[in-house]
Amino acid sequence: MTERKRPHTEEFIETLATNAPRYGVSLSDEEFNHFQEYFEHLTAWNARYHLVAPCPPREFAVRHVLESLTALPFLSSGATIVDVGSGAGLPIIPCLIARPDVTAVLVEASPKKTIFLREALRRVERQTNARVVAERFESIPPPAADVVTCRALERFTEWLPTLVKWAANVKTLLLFGGLTLGERIESLSLPHQAILLPDSEGRFLYVIEHANDGAEARSSERTSTVGH
């Protein structure tokens, strides 16, 4: 890990290292360095762009980074991902750091936030693994991907039916949210599992599995849709 870290960065890295095993995560020194770059880049931009609510480095390490990494067991080797409402890059940038084999499209409607995302990808050396699309998700064609992730979509419960319909040909949806999102998922009768996040009483990873009938078609379209 990088030497001579600033105090807030040191607290972030120490928390990440201490708590990673409880989240089933093992990180290399190179990955710790990338997480440090990401944290410092986001901290520098946050005051201007309001990417995440202000919080101590310890909370950012656990609530934002490690909770994002709970998606990893659901990402197959070489998976293609579409991240909707990327904002601060959560959960997708932590996943890209920990899993350089996956590729992603980051869909973000805010032009200012897309500037941040492109620079963040460059800082963590994942710019060849991912591209950023400055559009609302519903205004672009449905994705040819293995997984759709979403953590901070504005008015999430209101937009959930549109998101599910838009991603109808994607096998797995990984959605982060609270009990209200879970109730909305239940109301739509979507088969799912709700995974309570460590050290949380009301934050969940909701895993929605669609039928995989379109897998072959997605595979043939993937090159033109993801990673270019």
Side-chain angles (χ1 to χ4, degrees):
M1 285 173 268
T2 303
E3 300 294 332
R4 298 181 180 177
K5 293 181 283 289
R6 300 186 185 99
H8 67 290
T9 301
E10 184 173 355
E11 181 181 350
F12 167 74
I13 292 295
E14 287 181 353
T15 304
L16 204 60
T18 300
N19 291 275
R22 294 193 301 108
Y23 286 77
V25 176
S26 178
L27 301 172
S28 67
D29 283 353
E30 181 181 12
E31 289 161 350
F32 274 112
N33 287 338
H34 288 328
F35 277 118
Q36 177 179 328
E37 284 288 340
Y38 173 58
F39 172 71
E40 292 184 342
H41 178 59
L42 187 145
T43 299
W45 285 54
N46 202 40
R48 286 180 292 163
Y49 287 0
H50 308 291
L51 299 162
V52 297
C55 63
R58 184 177 301 276
E59 181 179 347
F60 186 84
V62 172
R63 182 161 184 171
H64 293 304
V65 172
L66 289 174
E67 287 191 2
S68 292
L69 296 180
T70 60
L72 294 182
F74 302 96
L75 305 180
S76 60
S77 178
T80 55
I81 306 162
V82 176
D83 185 61
V84 173
S86 295
L90 301 163
I92 192 60
I93 289 181
C95 290
L96 285 165
I97 290 173
R99 287 284 302 280
D101 61 295
V102 303
T103 56
V105 174
L106 284 63
V107 182
E108 170 53 52
S110 166
K112 290 182 178 180
K113 291 179 181 178
T114 62
I115 295 171
F116 162 81
L117 290 168
R118 290 188 178 102
E119 178 62 15
L121 289 169
R122 188 190 69 80
R123 292 284 189 98
V124 302
E125 300 178 3
R126 295 295 185 267
Q127 69 272 27
T128 60
N129 297 61
R131 66 183 177 96
V132 181
V133 175
E135 298 281 355
R136 296 184 63 88
F137 79 89
E138 72 275 14
S139 69
I140 63 177
D146 300 304
V147 179
V148 164
T149 56
C150 188
R151 187 175 185 266
L153 186 65
E154 187 177 356
R155 305 199 313 275
F156 204 161
T157 56
E158 178 182 333
W159 280 101
L160 181 62
T162 303
L163 176 64
V164 171
K165 183 177 180 180
W166 178 77
N169 290 324
V170 177
K171 182 177 184 295
T172 305
L173 279 66
L174 303 177
L175 311 179
F176 291 81
L179 293 169
T180 302
L181 179 62
E183 291 169 358
R184 187 66 170 128
I185 291 171
E186 291 279 358
S187 75
L188 296 172
S189 300
L190 295 170
H192 69 283
Q193 56 178 310
I195 300 171
L196 181 65
L197 299 174
D199 301 320
S200 168
E201 295 182 356
R203 296 192 303 278
F204 295 84
L205 170 60
Y206 294 100
V207 183
I208 299 172
E209 297 281 357
H210 283 157
N212 201 23
D213 296 336
E216 187 173 334
R218 290 198 305 275
S219 178
S220 65
E221 298 170 10
R222 189 173 299 152
T223 301
S224 62
T225 307
V226 178
H228 291 273

